[in-house]
Amino acid sequence: MPRASGPLAEALARRTVLLDGGLSNQLADQGCDLSGDLWTGRVLTERPGQVARAHAAYAGAGAEVLITASYQLGSAAPAELFARSVRLAAGAAEAAGHEVWVAASVGPYGAVLADGSEYRGRYGLGVRELAAFHRPRVEALLAAGPDVLALETIPDTVEAEALLGILAETGAPAWLSYTVAGGRTRAGQPLAEAFALAAASPQVIAVGVNCCDPEDVLPALEAAAGVTGMPLLAYPNDGSVWEAATRTWHAPGHPAPWPAEAWQEAGARLIGGCCRIGPAGIAALAARVSW
């Protein structure tokens, strides 16, 4: 069965595309209050102009894909809030002066719990329950017309299966990005098994990892390449560890430069940053890597 097509999928067949960086850290740097369970969703609700400003900062740094502020919105959030997240990113894309795509963020169930469980998975819910949670979120985002869905920071193959089932219903293009550690998903499943799920979904245009230690990226990409033959993606954080109880990041002792060129050689065609990677980091990445 042929895979989903579209301008972004066609671009990935030719070259590497630069993603943006972490939205939460950029909003914090702009002076926004991210306290409370909604996190970036709070800023989307109360100060949407700051979200537009953050998107513009990444586009100005060279990002070719802007990921919406819908990551932590739950299924009970108003449809208008999901639509707003897409409109704000689309507005920044239109003003960028270069081609920019909009990826609608579909964060994991654990992100809505706001207790760090997106880094553990195994919520005790089955495919049916997780699909019921995600379906209205996906539908609300698709109604706003993004270029692609970003199924991101997924810790568990059970949740991936639920999301891929929804994709099959909608036919929408998406990328699937796991958060990983030590050569496995955060829930402990083998990466080959996790990536094989994406390979079987014609709606998936790229697969890979995000919000993980940069050191975990290359082994994960190699595992994905071995079972998918698809364009890969990588947008790790800076190697810090999230402490949910205190809502703080514990910084790494000796962060190393990213071997982004090696990621490209392994098949990465979407490369960017996640938490604690700002516009300066994206601009530096743009200068180093052949796009």
Side-chain angles (χ1 to χ4, degrees), residues 19-34:
L19 296 170
D20 61 6
L23 185 59
S24 59
N25 48 267
Q26 179 60 20
L27 290 172
D29 287 347
Q30 292 172 194
C32 298
D33 184 357
L34 274 67

Side-chain angles (χ1 to χ4, degrees), residues 110-201:
V112 178
L113 300 179
D115 62 359
S117 57
E118 66 262 50
Y119 299 116
R120 299 189 298 272
R122 299 193 183 280
Y123 313 120
L125 302 178
V127 170
R128 181 177 299 179
E129 291 88 353
L130 287 169
F133 167 77
H134 283 296
R135 187 173 287 107
R137 307 171 78 214
V138 170
E139 290 173 349
L141 288 167
L142 289 178
D147 295 295
V148 65
L149 295 174
L151 313 180
E152 57 177 354
T153 328
I154 306 304
D156 198 315
T157 57
V158 176
E159 188 160 24
E161 186 177 347
L163 286 163
L164 293 173
I166 296 169
L167 283 189
E169 297 170 4
T170 65
W175 76 60
L176 175 63
S177 183
Y178 290 99
T179 179
V180 302
R184 289 179 173 266
T185 68
R186 295 282 186 159
Q189 296 119 347
L191 292 184
E193 171 188 324
F195 292 128
L197 291 175
S201 172

